[in-house]
Amino acid sequence: MRFLIALTALATPVHAWDFSPTPICTLSHAEATADIAVTYDHATRLYAIAITSEDGWPSAPAFSMRFDGGQPNTISTTRHQTSGQTLTVTDTGFGNVLDGLAFNTTATAFTQTAAVTVSLAGAAAEVEKFRACATAPTA
């Protein structure tokens, strides 16, 4: 029986949060419902979040993210863009997004007619690496 449980655990895909400092600061995550990439570009001083959903993102007047867990919060914007299956938001500050990712258990990205929910398990340590990259001095 223990062998079957271990085998089942190994067969389950691992959906990890990953950080990369090059070519720009990038925090990424992929799972069945969506792929998420949060970036910071020192050259433009802009943060961006791109959420790609297999079902796409219909045109909508507003986009929101709800974070559920230890520090629940919902943030919204009308300054989003959709292109194909990807919805993107850029801004000069992403403190609420990064806090939401680091201190909660799930994130739900949604518009009036579409939504995806992703796990935030393992995100906190990668968010801290991302923050350090974004605030690191550049030459």
Side-chain angles (χ1 to χ4, degrees), residues 1 3 14 39 74 88 91-92 114-115 123 132 138:
M1 182 64 146
F3 174 74
V14 176
T39 59
T74 300
T88 305
D91 203 341
T92 56
T138 58

Side-chain angles (χ1 to χ4, degrees), residues 37-111:
V38 179
T39 59
Y40 178 76
D41 187 342
H42 286 281
T44 63
R45 296 185 177 184
L46 286 175
Y47 289 87
I49 186 167
I51 304 167
T52 303
S53 169
E54 203 172 279
D55 296 331
W57 293 97
S59 181
F63 167 73
S64 302
M65 284 191 81
R66 184 183 69 239
F67 300 100
D68 294 306
Q71 291 185 5
N73 192 13
T74 300
I75 55 179
S76 300
T77 185
T78 57
R79 298 181 332 194
H80 61 287
Q81 299 177 342
T82 55
S83 177
Q85 297 175 305
T86 303
L87 183 145
T88 305
V89 178
T90 58
D91 203 341
T92 56
F94 255 40
N96 286 336
V97 172
L98 296 175
D99 285 350
L101 296 173
F103 302 123
N104 291 287
T105 55
T106 62
T108 301
F110 64 97
T111 64

Side-chain angles (χ1 to χ4, degrees), residues 16-18 27 101-104 119-129:
W17 284 85
D18 296 303
L27 177 66
L101 296 173
F103 302 123
N104 291 287
S119 170
L120 299 177
E126 301 306 300
V127 169
E128 289 312 307
K129 293 175 191 174

Side-chain angles (χ1 to χ4, degrees), residues 23-41:
I24 60 175
C25 305
T26 303
L27 177 66
S28 60
H29 177 71
E31 59 183 68
T33 57
D35 294 342
I36 297 177
V38 179
T39 59
Y40 178 76
D41 187 342

